[in-house]
Amino acid sequence: MMDYVKIVFRMSFFYFFIFLIYRLMGKREVGQLGIVDLIVSILIAELVVISVEDPNISILYSLVPAICLVVLQMLLSYVSLKNSKIRELIDGSPSFIIKYGKINYNEMIRQKYNLDDLLVQLREKGYRNIEEVEYAILENNGTLSVFEYDKNSLIKKSPIPMPIILDGKIQYDTLREMDRDDSFIYKILDKKKYELNDIFYAFYKDKNIFVIRYSDLD
């Protein structure tokens, strides 16, 4: 009887403990969990099973390593927030699966992403065929962002729907996709009298740069 009481107590305890953990880790949908978040989730689940299956094992055997995992995850989140290179290393970077209406087969092979995956995700977003899509971007969490052709635009190739500046850092991958170099950005910043280090986020569209500075966040 005592064993059953222990099991009920431990399940209840870990239920609220895991609830608290996910609140500390930040608000994300399950489908949007990054690699680190997913690893932490799996390991914590395994640790909880150890304590629930054997009531004779101290609850600390699961609690201590679980806390260590959460602290490690929060440290990595903080470091990646401050450093874009570490963020890209941990989370990866978006991939163009369709660009200018053409499928990027090389990128699909690199991402282990097949044509059936693409067609399924396009149908889920209401697109009947690939010809309707100008850009399809495979995001870090595995979701597909889709941009259809602007029927009212006279431009055959609209600008890449990606940021050109993040956290004061020039996004050279985006510039290469646009066939531009960093002088393009500096000219625009000089015109607006902005400093690169002051820019939190910048997006280029229709020959204009849309900027959010750190001072705008206050």
Side-chain angles (χ1 to χ4, degrees):
M1 184 66 182
M2 285 300 297
D3 287 346
Y4 290 111
V5 173
K6 283 184 179 180
I7 290 172
V8 171
F9 168 75
R10 291 186 179 202
M11 281 300 301
S12 302
F13 172 80
F14 279 112
Y15 173 83
F16 290 105
F17 176 69
I18 292 173
F19 174 79
L20 177 62
I21 282 175
Y22 277 96
R23 291 303 300 268
L24 291 173
M25 287 170 60
K27 295 181 179 178
R28 287 191 184 182
E29 295 180 12
V30 173
Q32 295 179 333
L33 291 177
I35 293 175
V36 175
D37 301 320
L38 184 59
I39 291 171
V40 170
S41 300
I42 293 172
L43 290 176
I44 288 176
E46 292 295 328
L47 290 169
V48 170
V49 169
I50 292 173
S51 287
V52 173
E53 282 187 340
D54 190 349
N56 296 318
I57 295 178
S58 172
I59 199 170
L60 293 177
Y61 279 95
S62 295
L63 192 59
V64 172
I67 292 173
C68 289
L69 284 172
V70 174
V71 171
L72 179 61
Q73 190 275 342
M74 293 176 68
L75 285 173
L76 285 174
S77 297
Y78 179 78
V79 172
S80 63
L81 180 66
K82 298 295 183 180
N83 191 305
S84 58
K85 290 184 178 179
I86 294 178
R87 181 166 63 245
E88 184 175 344
L89 178 65
I90 294 174
D91 295 332
S93 57
S95 302
F96 281 89
I97 301 301
I98 298 177
K99 184 171 66 174
Y100 302 138
K102 295 181 179 180
I103 297 176
N104 188 345
Y105 288 105
N106 291 331
E107 189 61 25
M108 288 179 68
I109 292 171
R110 194 173 74 86
Q111 297 295 333
K112 310 296 187 297
Y113 187 81
N114 60 51
L115 187 59
D116 288 335
D117 295 330
L118 175 61
L119 294 175
V120 167
Q121 289 193 286
L122 287 177
R123 287 196 296 269
E124 287 176 345
K125 293 182 179 295
Y127 295 95
R128 298 181 181 181
N129 54 63
I130 295 173
E131 285 72 20
E132 299 176 56
V133 179
E134 184 175 14
Y135 295 108
I137 303 171
L138 186 63
E139 305 291 357
N140 302 336
N141 57 17
T143 60
L144 192 71
S145 297
V146 181
F147 299 82
E148 64 182 8
Y149 280 101
D150 185 355
K151 298 177 178 62
N152 299 319
S153 176
L154 299 176
I155 303 174
K156 292 184 178 179
K157 293 183 177 181
S158 58
I160 303 292
M162 296 288 283
I164 57 175
I165 300 175
L166 277 178
D167 293 332
K169 303 288 192 310
I170 296 173
Q171 304 302 296
Y172 288 98
D173 289 341
T174 305
L175 288 181
R176 280 192 291 271
E177 295 286 351
M178 295 170 62
D179 294 323
R180 304 273 190 169
D181 57 25
D182 53 7
S183 62
F184 163 73
I185 291 181
Y186 286 115
K187 285 179 181 178
I188 297 176
L189 292 179
D190 288 340
K191 184 177 180 181
K192 292 181 174 290
K193 297 181 180 180
Y194 292 158
E195 293 292 334
L196 180 61
N197 293 334
D198 296 334
I199 307 299
F200 174 70
Y201 176 85
F203 179 84
Y204 183 74
K205 182 180 180 182
D206 299 331
K207 298 183 180 181
N208 290 308
I209 184 170
F210 298 88
V211 176
I212 298 176
R213 292 178 291 174
Y214 285 105
S215 57
D216 298 328
L217 303 177
D218 296 336

